[in-house]
Amino acid sequence: MFHPCVVSIFIGIGVMAAYGAGFVLPEGVSKTLSMVGNCSTPLCLVIIGTIVGRLDWKDLFPWRGFLFSVYRVLLLPAVALLLVWWLPVHSLAKQISVLLTAMPAATTTVILAEKYQKNPKFASQLMVLSTFLSFVSIPLFTFVLQWI
């Protein structure tokens, strides 16, 4: 219940409710929160870079990681495409849903694996491999999605 991720969700809901009621955070607080939020991605990339930097090139592309990455950026989007194909929703919503599943593994995967000591090396490998494979998957699915 008091995990930082859960607490931040409740804080975010509270802030959204306050904005909806017309309450606006002071500019200094708002700007500070924005600056801290803008630091999160670069800090994640520094941490990932240090983990990946410790790997040998042969360790960076394991066969098992490649299979997981193919599943992540090719198979899941194909399944999503089949699932949304006949849904009675706007085509843009279908396209966005499929393209989001074709995106590479998020940096937070590595950060959480590092925090909880749950194989951050493998999480980094998956992030790198899925990013490389997304150079193929995103254009491929963008091309296919033209006909939805």
Side-chain angles (χ1 to χ4, degrees):
M1 175 73 185
F2 293 107
H3 190 276
C5 293
V6 175
V7 171
S8 66
I9 289 171
F10 286 116
I11 291 172
I13 291 171
V15 169
M16 285 185 347
Y19 276 139
F23 177 77
V24 179
L25 290 172
E27 185 178 348
V29 174
S30 178
K31 199 167 193 171
T32 302
L33 290 175
S34 177
M35 292 167 96
V36 169
N38 290 338
C39 289
S40 65
T41 298
L43 288 174
C44 286
L45 293 175
V46 167
I47 293 170
I48 292 165
T50 59
I51 294 169
V52 171
R54 288 184 249 153
L55 300 175
D56 279 338
W57 276 99
K58 62 180 178 169
D59 292 337
L60 193 56
F61 304 106
W63 183 249
R64 185 172 150 227
F66 180 77
L67 289 176
F68 276 112
S69 296
V70 166
Y71 172 77
R72 170 79 175 98
V73 299
L74 292 173
L75 186 63
L76 284 179
V79 169
L81 178 64
L82 293 174
L83 290 175
V84 302
W85 186 273
W86 299 107
L87 287 178
V89 295
H90 193 274
S91 64
L92 181 62
K94 294 177 186 182
Q95 293 167 345
I96 290 171
S97 298
V98 173
L99 282 178
L100 284 176
T101 60
M103 293 294 160
T107 57
T108 53
T109 306
V110 180
I111 300 303
L112 290 173
E114 178 74 28
K115 178 177 172 51
Y116 295 109
Q117 298 300 309
K118 298 294 181 185
N119 204 351
K121 175 183 169 185
F122 187 63
S124 298
Q125 291 167 332
L126 289 179
M127 197 203 78
V128 170
L129 286 166
S130 66
T131 299
F132 282 137
L133 287 174
S134 71
F135 295 154
V136 173
S137 69
I138 294 171
L140 172 72
F141 284 103
T142 301
F143 177 75
V144 170
L145 289 170
Q146 294 178 61
W147 290 287
I148 286 188

